[in-house]
Amino acid sequence: MDTLDTYRQIIQDVLSEYVRLRYAYGDIQNETVFDREADRYLVMSIGWQKVKRIHGCLIHIDIISGKVWIQRDGTEDGIADKLIAAGIPKDKIVLGFHTPDVRPYTEFAVA
């Protein structure tokens, strides 16, 4: 398996764990959206909290030019550490939710 296929599988495996999460409030479920052709991977939160509709992106990851871009991370602990533990090196992960001028000061890839 080549590097990109490995990254795709790791991302899918890690994000799939979030489908099993149960919220303490409301009737909310997480579901995954995987587009391997466009290298776009999402976890969406969907449901109801009393009379309020919940529909939003919890996690958004893209693979761009061989690097894993975390575009949105709405988790408490952060998704980057889970990706690293699963085998994706820090220098291949871009924290896309940080502005470009902040990225050089993180321990992750710049772009």
Side-chain angles (χ1 to χ4, degrees):
M1 192 180 310
D2 76 349
T3 302
L4 281 181
D5 283 335
T6 300
Y7 289 175
R8 289 178 181 116
Q9 191 60 54
I10 289 171
I11 292 166
Q12 286 183 210
D13 291 346
V14 170
L15 295 188
S16 292
E17 295 173 20
Y18 287 88
V19 174
R20 293 185 280 279
L21 290 179
R22 296 292 169 239
Y23 288 84
Y25 57 89
D27 181 22
I28 304 168
Q29 291 82 37
N30 288 331
E31 56 185 49
T32 56
V33 180
F34 299 149
D35 181 352
R36 288 180 69 103
E37 288 184 29
D39 278 326
R40 186 158 293 124
Y41 306 87
L42 307 169
V43 175
M44 299 295 297
S45 298
I46 299 169
W48 291 92
Q49 182 180 3
K50 296 186 181 180
V51 296
K52 181 181 177 188
R53 178 68 173 155
I54 304 296
H55 182 269
C57 180
L58 179 65
I59 303 168
H60 174 179
I61 297 175
D62 293 326
I63 300 176
I64 303 170
S65 300
K67 293 194 178 169
V68 175
W69 283 69
I70 302 173
Q71 306 287 17
R72 165 97 173 104
D73 185 354
T75 66
E76 289 182 23
D77 299 328
I79 196 75
D81 289 334
K82 292 184 180 190
L83 296 173
I84 293 164
I88 299 177
K90 274 187 177 182
D91 66 344
K92 296 296 181 185
I93 298 174
V94 178
L95 302 179
F97 53 84
H98 284 309
T99 59
D101 60 316
V102 170
R103 291 183 201 145
Y105 303 103
T106 70
E107 298 177 4
F108 294 90
V110 175

